[in-house]
Amino acid sequence: MKKIELVSSEKPEIEKEEIKPKKNKKIVKKLAIIGGIIVLLGTLLTFFLVLPSLQMKDEALLLTNEAKQMSESLQAQDLNKTIEKLQATKEQFSTLNASYRKLAWLRIIPLVSNFYKDGEHLFAGGGYLLEAADVTVESLEPYADILGFEREKNEEKKEGETKKEMTAEERLILMLDTLEKIQPNLDKIGEKLELARQEIDQIDSQRYPEKIRDKKIREKIATLIQTIDGVAEIMIEAKPIIGYIRPLLGVPDQKKYLLLFQNDAELRPTGGFLTAYAILTVHNGNFETLGSYDIYSLDARFGNRLQPPEPIKKYHKNVYYWHLRDMNLSPDFKDS
């Protein structure tokens, strides 16, 4: 008889034990690669995002502080300090802008790129605003004394010397004189403000959340855009009328004005029912009231009664004549 040997299909335990270490090594190697990638990404994000962002936060606080001090100096009419703080604000603005440009790689990332571009528009607009401020200060500098600005904060007065205080009217006229002298620079300021508006208007406030940790974000951005738009619009619209302000204020010839008082509780096309009037004069910015009167008293002085126009007949019940107090039938003053 032949001897039959039974052979097991299972591999020896030794072989299994030899395979396990090989599989474990592959897993460990993959985990090491993934971990290395994560560490590398973390390092890159730290150097190219986290650290620049923290640096920008500190620089933004410094910029805000310098701008605030510049505003306070201007309100205090300290021209020298205003110039000093304006220069410091410009330098800090440039530093912050340089730090922001370190994040330029964000432009290639979808969704995030729009936010980065908004920042670029913000810095471009801010640059134009600072240029406008620079031109403004340079324009005011030759006329600082006229406008009441301090030139030397610690300047010692000569013994017995007193500075003559100007009246509000005198200061107003001198300011108008100054505006005429710096008219060309007003054009430059207007151009800078318009460029700033064009940049800021490209920021879409709607893409930002309303709040982050109870801090309003969208509203502040929208307010910034509206403020710059308003300032630029005022400058553009105000330039043509600057030349007319002096004559309107009685410089050099006296002007006489009729001032009409209207009651907006009784609506009329020009704003309200005419209740009273006053006559005043102005010469070199000084106003003088010649008298104020009730409109009914003036109406009573006219004996002739005019037939009312159709709108009064139709809508103004129990009024049978066309009185002075009802003359403002059109929002156009010439037609009233």
Side-chain angles (χ1 to χ4, degrees):
M1 293 180 65
K2 292 183 179 180
K3 188 177 180 180
I4 299 173
E5 294 182 0
L6 297 175
V7 180
S8 175
S9 60
E10 295 181 359
K11 295 182 180 180
E13 290 296 327
I14 298 175
E15 293 182 9
K16 286 185 179 181
E17 292 176 359
E18 290 177 354
I19 292 172
K20 283 182 180 179
K22 290 181 180 180
K23 288 184 177 180
N24 290 338
K25 287 181 180 179
K26 289 182 179 179
I27 294 173
V28 171
K29 188 175 181 180
K30 289 180 180 179
L31 290 175
I33 294 173
I34 294 172
I37 293 173
I38 293 174
V39 171
L40 178 61
L41 288 175
T43 304
L44 291 174
L45 287 174
T46 300
F47 280 100
F48 292 101
L49 181 62
V50 178
L51 292 180
S53 298
L54 293 174
Q55 182 181 0
M56 286 176 58
K57 181 181 178 181
D58 294 336
E59 292 171 352
L61 291 174
L62 291 173
L63 175 61
T64 302
N65 185 52
E66 294 292 354
K68 183 179 179 181
Q69 291 185 40
M70 179 184 68
S71 176
E72 291 173 350
S73 300
L74 186 61
Q75 292 177 18
Q77 294 185 305
D78 188 338
L79 187 60
N80 285 344
K81 191 171 182 180
T82 300
I83 295 173
E84 175 188 335
K85 289 302 174 181
L86 175 58
Q87 184 61 33
T89 301
K90 289 165 59 180
E91 292 174 358
Q92 193 59 47
F93 180 84
S94 298
T95 301
L96 180 59
N97 192 14
S99 297
Y100 185 75
R101 292 185 181 280
K102 294 178 181 178
L103 302 176
W105 57 273
L106 293 174
R107 297 190 66 176
I108 63 175
I109 300 178
L111 299 179
V112 179
S113 62
N114 289 330
F115 294 99
Y116 180 80
K117 290 176 183 177
D118 282 348
E120 288 184 315
H121 291 306
L122 180 62
F123 276 105
Y128 287 125
L129 289 176
L130 286 174
E131 289 178 13
D134 218 1
V135 176
T136 302
V137 171
E138 288 178 2
S139 302
L140 292 175
E141 194 170 5
Y143 312 101
D145 296 333
I146 292 176
L147 297 175
F149 283 92
E150 294 182 16
R151 295 303 304 272
E152 297 293 340
K153 186 175 181 180
N154 298 319
E155 182 179 4
E156 295 182 0
K157 294 181 180 180
K158 296 180 181 179
E159 187 176 351
E161 181 183 0
T162 57
K163 183 179 179 180
K164 181 183 177 182
E165 292 292 333
M166 290 189 296
T167 64
E169 292 82 3
E170 290 173 337
R171 185 166 293 184
L172 174 62
I173 299 304
L174 289 172
M175 184 177 68
L176 292 175
D177 290 338
T178 303
L179 286 175
E180 286 192 349
K181 293 175 182 176
I182 64 173
Q183 181 73 36
N185 286 336
L186 288 178
D187 293 334
K188 292 180 183 178
I189 295 170
E191 290 172 3
K192 298 297 182 184
L193 290 175
E194 178 59 26
L195 290 171
R197 176 167 69 171
Q198 292 175 9
E199 290 290 344
I200 299 299
D201 282 351
Q202 295 184 62
I203 298 175
D204 183 7
S205 61
Q206 295 302 314
R207 69 164 58 102
Y208 293 86
E210 290 188 5
K211 291 183 179 180
I212 296 180
R213 293 183 179 180
D214 296 330
K215 291 185 178 181
K216 296 180 180 179
I217 303 298
R218 184 184 300 173
E219 182 180 332
K220 288 185 176 181
I221 295 174
T223 301
L224 173 66
I225 296 172
Q226 292 172 3
T227 301
I228 294 176
D229 285 351
V231 172
E233 188 173 351
I234 289 173
M235 180 60 68
I236 293 171
E237 293 181 352
K239 284 191 298 182
I241 68 171
I242 289 176
Y244 297 98
I245 295 178
R246 284 168 54 86
L248 288 173
L249 292 175
V251 182
D253 300 322
Q254 177 178 284
K255 296 289 183 182
K256 181 181 286 188
Y257 293 102
L258 171 66
L259 184 62
L260 298 174
F261 298 92
Q262 301 182 89
N263 180 8
D264 59 359
E266 297 184 50
L267 290 180
R268 294 292 190 276
T270 61
F273 173 67
L274 295 174
T275 59
Y277 68 98
I279 299 174
L280 50 88
T281 61
V282 57
H283 188 214
N284 291 330
N286 293 291
F287 287 87
E288 181 181 354
T289 303
L290 300 182
S292 58
Y293 312 93
D294 184 84
I295 195 70
Y296 288 94
S297 300
L298 184 61
D299 252 333
R301 294 169 59 183
F302 290 87
N304 295 331
R305 298 299 181 186
L306 300 176
Q307 290 299 313
E310 190 60 32
I312 290 182
K313 289 181 180 179
K314 186 175 181 179
Y315 299 107
H316 208 348
K317 302 301 181 182
N318 301 321
V319 175
Y320 307 104
Y321 300 101
W322 196 8
H323 301 289
L324 286 173
R325 55 185 177 270
D326 296 322
M327 291 288 180
N328 54 342
L329 279 178
S330 171
D332 189 337
F333 184 77
K334 292 182 179 180
D335 294 337
S336 291

